[in-house]
Amino acid sequence: MTKAATLLSATALCTVGSLGIGTATASAATPDAQASMVQGQVTLVQSSGGNYWHLVAAGGAGEAIWSQDPANGDPGDALRAYDGLADGLGIHAYLSDGRMASTAGHASPYYSPWVTGDLPEGNWYRMTVCTEKSGVDISCYYADVQA
């Protein structure tokens, strides 16, 4: 399944657009709402089932993926990174609880393993996606996601 198909299959109720310089941000929708929010070149998409949040790095270089609850064999309260471009950059995905997933050192396309840990239901956390080169984060974008 391609990234475009994944993003297109996640229908949106609202789209918010704005130009940003430096770090762009997207704020999460209210709980249980489907949303695609755009600020600058960053998109946060909550899947139509409400389980997955995809924070896409500028230019589609990669993404951070948040799995809110277990579904389709994937764990809940889980973070992973995806790198779909052979551009010499890796993807770092962070959650404000301290967990981090990375594609660094792997040829694209590559999904990192899920990084898990139980979190209190209903709490909101900051998810960040960064492009990186040689271990240094270059461009980072963030959004809030719910456990």
Side-chain angles (χ1 to χ4, degrees), residues 1 27 61 79 91 98 119 146:
M1 174 163 52
S27 296
L79 177 72
I91 301 295
L119 294 170
Q146 190 174 34

Side-chain angles (χ1 to χ4, degrees), residues 6-27:
T6 299
L7 293 175
L8 290 176
S9 68
T11 55
L13 293 176
C14 68
T15 300
V16 179
S18 165
L19 293 176
I21 298 175
T23 300
T25 63
S27 296

Side-chain angles (χ1 to χ4, degrees), residues 21-86:
I21 298 175
T23 300
T25 63
S27 296
T30 57
D32 301 322
Q34 299 175 30
S36 174
M37 298 180 199
V38 178
Q39 186 164 358
Q41 297 180 349
V42 180
T43 306
L44 174 68
V45 178
Q46 185 178 9
S47 65
S48 58
N51 189 58
Y52 297 100
W53 298 78
H54 300 263
L55 180 58
V56 182
E63 62 185 75
I65 303 164
W66 174 248
S67 175
Q68 184 174 14
D69 297 311
N72 303 320
D74 293 333
D77 295 341
L79 177 72
R80 78 187 319 184
Y82 172 74
D83 184 355
L85 295 178

Side-chain angles (χ1 to χ4, degrees), residues 60-133:
E63 62 185 75
I65 303 164
W66 174 248
S67 175
Q68 184 174 14
D69 297 311
N72 303 320
D74 293 333
D77 295 341
L79 177 72
R80 78 187 319 184
Y82 172 74
D83 184 355
L85 295 178
D87 56 5
L89 300 174
I91 301 295
H92 286 167
Y94 302 97
L95 195 68
S96 58
D97 75 334
R99 68 186 73 186
M100 193 265 283
S102 177
T103 67
H106 297 276
S108 63
Y110 178 77
Y111 283 95
S112 73
W114 288 107
V115 179
T116 63
D118 194 34
L119 294 170
E121 292 302 309
N123 286 1
W124 289 85
Y125 297 87
R126 175 126 316 153
M127 179 173 66
T128 304
V129 62
C130 301
T131 54
E132 70 82 32
K133 182 139 184 108

